[in-house]
Amino acid sequence: MRFTCCSSVGSEGPPQVTVAGQTYEGISPSNIVTLAEGYTGDVTCRVEGGYPGGHTTQLKCGQLENTGDGNTATVRFTTDTLTRDLDGTGCSCTSQHDSGCYNNRETRFKLNVTCAQQFSPLFSPSPKVDGVIEEKAKIDIEIYGFPEPRLTLHRIVDDADLTSSPRHELKYTSSVAPFGFVNVTISDLVEADFTNYTLTIDNGVGNALVYSFYLNQVKTRLRPEAGGDADTDIESDSFNSTALIIGLIAVVILGICVVIIIFLVRKIQDMKRRLDNYEENE
């Protein structure tokens, strides 16, 4: 005869899942595991208590799945498997025991995948930004990273922190996750603004980005703003270019028409002279 029983301590509890040294159990909204993109390590699910021990333990996490023949199951994250695509993925662990003490007991948790900020592959930092006295200078930088970064701006010459200055606006605008834009605007430019700066971008994951640039003074912009924004200027220039092309085509067509008319007039005049000469000879 075979006897099964539950131990008095923890036998009816849910499986324990251990990730990066942290243990989670049960079903709770607070079971959120935050890992950096590219993290490599094991996720282990283990069931304690009961006699005999659990006979089947199953662990699922996205496409990763393992069924352990016993009270433990493990899956491993690699640099290829733990990407931002797994952000928000639900993971679960269940185990069965002959005694029925914790059949269908389950532990669930959700992945929160962060990634260190880095410059967008399409972004090529420019070390020089042009500006005009009493106008504003704008710098837009595309980055890749999650969560949103904290931004700080310093003027190198005196190490002044300009982050909270009313003339210096720092803003992060999210795009298609995890891409976003860092926007820096310096308004009402004065002589002292034309110097070197460092912009620090840090979301707490990996190393912070440090972007250095020089604000260069120019007399006028290549493309006057005329009270409008850059998109309006571009549209206006595009319209003017189109109008110029249409005008040139019209001039060419008109010129061709004039040449044809002159040719026809001369042809008619020549035929009329020939006809007059013919009538005189008759």
Coordinates of all heavy atoms in Angstrom, one line a residue, residues 223 225 228-235:
R223 N 17.8 79.4 -44.3 CA 16.4 79.4 -44.7 C 15.6 80.2 -43.7 O 15.4 79.8 -42.6 CB 15.9 78.0 -44.7 CG 14.4 77.8 -45.1 CD 14.1 76.4 -45.3 NE 14.8 75.8 -46.4 CZ 14.9 74.5 -46.6 NH1 14.3 73.6 -45.8 NH2 15.6 74.0 -47.6
E225 N 13.0 81.9 -41.2 CA 11.8 81.2 -40.6 C 10.6 82.1 -40.9 O 9.5 81.5 -41.0 CB 12.0 81.1 -39.1 CG 13.1 80.1 -38.7 CD 13.2 79.8 -37.3 OE1 12.4 80.5 -36.5 OE2 13.9 79.0 -36.8
G228 N 7.4 81.3 -39.2 CA 6.8 80.0 -39.3 C 7.8 78.9 -38.9 O 8.9 79.2 -38.6
D229 N 7.3 77.7 -38.8 CA 8.2 76.6 -38.4 C 8.9 76.0 -39.6 O 8.6 76.4 -40.7 CB 7.4 75.5 -37.6 CG 6.3 75.0 -38.4 OD1 6.3 75.0 -39.6 OD2 5.3 74.5 -37.8
A230 N 9.8 75.0 -39.4 CA 10.6 74.5 -40.5 C 9.7 73.8 -41.5 O 10.0 73.9 -42.7 CB 11.6 73.5 -39.9
D231 N 8.6 73.1 -41.0 CA 7.8 72.4 -42.0 C 7.1 73.4 -42.9 O 7.0 73.1 -44.1 CB 6.7 71.6 -41.2 CG 7.3 70.4 -40.5 OD1 8.4 70.0 -40.9 OD2 6.7 70.0 -39.5
T232 N 6.7 74.5 -42.4 CA 6.1 75.5 -43.2 C 7.1 76.1 -44.3 O 6.7 76.3 -45.4 CB 5.5 76.7 -42.4 OG1 4.6 76.2 -41.4 CG2 4.8 77.7 -43.2
D233 N 8.3 76.3 -43.8 CA 9.3 76.8 -44.7 C 9.6 75.8 -45.9 O 9.7 76.2 -47.0 CB 10.6 77.0 -44.0 CG 10.5 78.2 -43.0 OD1 9.6 79.0 -43.2 OD2 11.3 78.2 -42.0
I234 N 9.7 74.5 -45.5 CA 9.9 73.5 -46.5 C 8.8 73.4 -47.5 O 9.0 73.4 -48.7 CB 10.1 72.1 -45.8 CG1 11.4 72.2 -45.0 CG2 10.2 71.0 -46.8 CD1 11.6 70.9 -44.1
E235 N 7.5 73.5 -47.0 CA 6.4 73.5 -47.9 C 6.4 74.7 -48.8 O 6.1 74.6 -50.0 CB 5.1 73.4 -47.1 CG 4.9 72.1 -46.3 CD 3.7 72.1 -45.5 OE1 3.0 73.1 -45.5 OE2 3.4 71.1 -44.8

